[in-house]
Amino acid sequence: MTMTRLFLPVLFTLVFGLRAAFAQQDQDVVWVQIEAQPSLTQASEQIRKYAERLEDVNGFALGSGWYGVALGPYTRADAETVLRVYRNEGLIPRDSYIALSATYRSQFWPAGVNLLNLPQPTDPVTEITETSDVPSLEQVPAEPAVADETPSEARASEARLTRDERKELQSWLQWAGYYNAAIDGAFGRGTRASMAAWQADNGFEQTGVLTTLQRETLRKQYFAVLEGMDLRRETDFAAGVEMLIPRGVVKRGNTEFPFVHFDASGEIPAKVLLISQAGDQTTLFGLYDIMQTLEIVPLTGERKREKDSFVLTGENAKIVSHTEARLENGEIKGFTLVWPAGDEERRTRILGEMQASFERIDGVLDPAAGSNSAQSIDLLAGLELRKPKMARSGFFVDGNGTVVTTSEAVQGCSKITLEGDLEAQIVATDDSLGLAVLRPTKPLAPIRIAMLREGDARLQSDVAVSGYSYEGVLGAPTLTFGQLSDVRGLNGETSLKRLAMSALPGDAGGPVLDGQGSVIGMLLPRDGASTKALPEGVRFATGSDAIRTALASAGLNIQTDTPQTTLSAEDLARLGRDMTVLVSCWE
């Protein structure tokens, strides 16, 4: 469907709908806010792009250095139609929303147009000319708006404000970019000057005292970003929690102890959790640790734990997550808000409203609460556990927990862990050998360390690789048996050993053991970039002599071994299990 074919029937609906808006007092003029930019240059560039394919494109100043791109003006019914159709056609962003005129300050595009001064129902007659292009508005100049209150009446209504209401007004002025002093509820010279500046920019007389109408206009500007969020007080008696929740974007889901789920209900991928469980400080600290294993709590972000509370924030390219919980009287209660990245103003505003409204009431979730209908090793209380980008094998080479692994396992990682939760740092890498050396950030005492064999094992002798074949799913390494086909690579490389073995990706980095338990090499991953397709059973390992040389260059002296006695399969498996470690790469 072309843009012309799509918009033509909508256009006439909007033209006649707009005329009706000015003829009926119960209709408000609204806009479809589609984008905001932090500079006039960026906003102008985006407007030109939208104007190439859409009608009724406008540019308005929003305050605080931001500029909005909006479609309109429309009646609310027509705006809802435009919003739905254009979203479905992919012509405007999914997070576009309906905004009131009070959201905007002044119009900068199209040049010379000022649609914010559209006539009200009591204004002189307005003609709307229908054309094949956009509706043009020709209005007879109206008399300046009469103030809703005299200066003395405004002072009197202001005097009736509570201290909290006065502080709230200051915070609105601060958000709009007019006030930068303390939020103290005292209307001194600074507050009065900010009120006068706001009045000037919004077409009101500069008195320094806001009338009731002006305070409401400022309030609407402040809350315009929450249009469509439908912040609604939710009382959950089972969880013993009451708070505001953006029901415009989330709907109630399952209860899975210790969480009550509110899942995304539309295009905005938001999520809210209510947290509720009985417990003590140990329970609180355990919840703190568990939350950090969840996919909804990205690794990057502030972590703050105190004796009776914690706050977890996490962000990546897709989401920003905030979790807070507090222990009081043997009950742990809190919440999580997950919001799409890139929508920071709306996220922080919603988060602030949720924090301010959070209340503890009687009740706490029953540990048996929940259907547990979705059971999976990758789920915890209905939430997906965070999984590493890649998991490979490695092996201990000294008593301090130093690990040798494949360099593939440490590429592009924001964090590297051993055995799932012990963080490690890269000590050295040798890409020519495909080898990396890691050291744990905390003390670690391995059960057994690898003994590197001196010299080559006998050709066609039996060998085995100890590795996490299934990348940690089984929780322990397994042995995969094969044979030593050659003590050199296909091109005569002395640093390589060729093996006849069918190993899995997770085995890469694991120790290759001979029949006596000595390490003859480290298994390399299959070369996916190679133009040559080798038979499935052909694998290569970096030889023990090359490993020893690389470790010496990194300042590590490693024990070597001259094999004596052939081990049984059971003893070989036990030896491999004790020296092999899971290496995980996290985004």
Side-chain angles (χ1 to χ4, degrees):
M1 177 182 291
T2 65
M3 180 61 224
T4 303
R5 290 167 59 193
L6 167 68
F7 189 79
L8 193 57
V10 177
L11 174 62
F12 289 107
T13 300
L14 297 183
V15 169
F16 291 109
L18 188 58
R19 176 184 294 160
F22 300 143
Q24 300 179 35
Q25 290 193 357
D26 60 349
Q27 292 268 14
D28 291 327
V29 174
V30 297
W31 312 78
V32 175
Q33 169 84 25
I34 59 178
E35 194 168 309
Q37 293 292 339
S39 76
L40 182 60
T41 300
Q42 291 172 280
S44 298
E45 290 177 357
Q46 291 300 101
I47 283 173
R48 293 187 184 94
K49 293 177 182 178
Y50 283 115
E52 291 177 358
R53 63 183 189 274
L54 297 177
E55 307 283 352
D56 304 326
V57 181
N58 303 278
F60 298 107
L62 299 174
S64 301
W66 284 81
Y67 299 87
V69 184
L71 305 178
Y74 305 130
T75 65
R76 179 169 288 274
D78 289 337
E80 291 173 353
T81 300
V82 170
L83 186 65
R84 183 179 65 256
V85 173
Y86 283 2
R87 273 180 176 174
N88 291 340
E89 292 289 330
L91 297 172
I92 61 176
R94 291 289 184 183
D95 58 357
S96 300
Y97 59 92
I98 294 174
L100 303 177
S101 294
T103 306
Y104 308 118
R105 295 188 175 181
S106 59
Q107 186 163 5
F108 65 87
W109 202 93
V113 175
N114 185 10
L115 296 179
L116 293 179
N117 285 334
L118 285 171
Q120 297 302 311
T122 56
D123 287 339
V125 177
T126 296
E127 270 186 34
I128 302 179
T129 304
E130 298 173 19
T131 70
S132 59
D133 227 350
V134 297
S136 62
L137 304 173
E138 301 173 3
Q139 57 181 346
V140 179
E143 294 295 324
V146 178
D148 61 309
E149 294 173 338
T150 66
S152 61
E153 289 172 335
R155 289 190 181 92
S157 66
E158 180 184 271
R160 291 191 291 270
L161 297 177
T162 66
R163 181 176 178 81
D164 286 342
E165 288 172 336
R166 294 164 73 90
K167 292 169 69 174
E168 189 174 49
L169 190 60
Q170 287 178 323
S171 69
W172 296 345
L173 289 165
Q174 185 181 70
W175 163 84
Y178 293 94
Y179 182 71
N180 58 8
I183 305 297
D184 54 12
F187 289 179
R189 284 183 297 176
T191 304
R192 295 299 179 195
S194 69
M195 289 179 179
W198 179 88
Q199 287 172 324
D201 286 347
N202 287 269
F204 297 111
E205 182 183 357
Q206 299 179 58
T207 64
V209 180
L210 300 185
T211 68
T212 300
L213 172 64
Q214 291 164 9
R215 292 195 298 270
E216 177 62 16
T217 301
L218 177 58
R219 188 195 71 81
K220 287 181 178 179
Q221 291 176 352
Y222 179 78
F223 284 103
V225 71
L226 300 179
E227 183 79 21
M229 296 297 99
D230 190 17
L231 280 167
R232 195 184 309 168
R233 183 167 293 278
E234 187 83 19
T235 302
D236 192 298
F237 293 103
V241 170
E242 183 175 86
M243 68 184 304
L244 290 176
I245 290 178
R247 294 302 300 270
V249 293
V250 297
K251 61 183 178 181
R252 189 182 178 96
N254 294 332
T255 296
E256 300 288 351
F257 178 83
F259 306 120
V260 179
H261 293 248
F262 289 82
D263 303 317
S265 59
E267 292 90 357
I268 297 178
K271 185 174 185 66
V272 173
L273 298 174
L274 302 185
I275 301 171
S276 175
Q277 69 176 124
D280 54 16
Q281 187 183 71
T282 301
T283 312
L284 178 75
F285 288 2
L287 178 64
Y288 174 81
D289 292 334
I290 289 171
M291 291 295 298
Q292 295 180 73
T293 69
L294 301 178
E295 191 70 24
I296 62 169
V297 184
L299 290 169
T300 303
E302 180 186 5
R303 270 79 169 137
K304 182 180 179 181
R305 191 188 74 179
E306 299 180 344
K307 63 178 182 179
D308 59 358
S309 66
F310 68 78
V311 175
L312 285 171
T313 59
E315 58 182 307
N316 56 27
K318 296 180 180 179
I319 63 168
V320 180
S321 147
H322 175 96
T323 300
E324 57 185 70
R326 177 173 292 276
L327 170 64
E328 291 183 12
N329 301 320
E331 296 178 346
I332 299 166
K333 295 182 181 181
F335 71 92
T336 296
L337 172 66
V338 182
W339 201 260
D343 191 12
E344 194 60 9
E345 182 177 3
R346 186 155 52 177
R347 183 193 74 84
T348 54
R349 291 284 301 282
I350 290 173
L351 176 60
E353 296 293 326
M354 293 175 69
Q355 289 171 319
S357 66
F358 185 87
E359 291 186 21
R360 306 167 75 102
I361 60 177
D362 292 339
V364 67
L365 276 182
D366 186 332
S371 62
N372 293 310
S373 57
Q375 298 189 48
S376 168
I377 194 171
D378 297 327
L379 293 178
L380 174 68
L383 297 170
E384 187 176 353
L385 293 170
R386 186 188 304 109
K387 293 182 288 188
K389 180 176 76 171
M390 176 185 297
R392 296 292 182 260
S393 303
F395 54 97
F396 295 113
V397 292
D398 69 11
N400 296 318
T402 303
V403 171
V404 168
T405 187
T406 170
S407 57
E408 177 192 47
V410 300
Q411 294 174 354
C413 311
S414 63
K415 185 171 78 170
I416 301 168
T417 60
L418 307 178
E419 296 300 291
D421 56 2
L422 182 59
E423 195 163 347
Q425 297 175 335
I426 300 174
V427 175
T429 58
D430 189 327
D431 291 336
S432 64
L433 296 176
L435 174 148
V437 182
L438 308 177
R439 180 171 294 144
T441 57
K442 295 181 180 179
L444 176 63
I447 297 176
R448 190 181 298 273
I449 61 176
M451 305 294 284
L452 299 180
R453 178 180 175 121
E454 286 190 304
D456 292 323
R458 180 172 52 83
L459 287 177
Q460 304 304 316
S461 61
D462 292 333
V463 296
V465 61
S466 177
Y468 285 85
S469 306
Y470 300 97
E471 303 184 39
V473 172
L474 295 182
T478 57
L479 279 187
T480 301
F481 292 90
Q483 287 187 325
L484 176 63
S485 298
D486 200 339
V487 294
R488 294 176 176 80
L490 294 175
N491 297 314
E493 302 94 334
T494 57
S495 63
L496 295 179
K497 310 300 177 188
R498 179 159 60 91
L499 310 175
M501 177 182 294
S502 295
L504 296 175
D507 292 314
V512 181
L513 307 169
D514 62 16
Q516 292 76 39
S518 297
V519 175
I520 68 169
M522 179 200 72
L523 186 69
L524 292 169
R526 292 184 68 88
D527 186 2
S530 175
T531 57
K532 297 181 180 179
L534 297 175
E536 178 61 32
V538 176
R539 298 298 295 265
F540 294 94
T542 299
S544 56
D545 291 337
I547 295 173
R548 187 183 303 106
T549 301
L551 292 174
S553 298
L556 298 169
N557 294 317
I558 304 304
Q559 297 184 41
T560 59
D561 186 33
T562 301
Q564 300 293 330
T565 305
T566 299
L567 301 177
S568 66
E570 292 78 9
D571 290 339
L572 195 63
R574 185 181 303 107
L575 180 71
R577 182 180 64 247
D578 291 346
M579 73 172 67
T580 306
V581 60
L582 179 67
V583 180
S584 300
C585 170
W586 303 85
E587 287 185 320

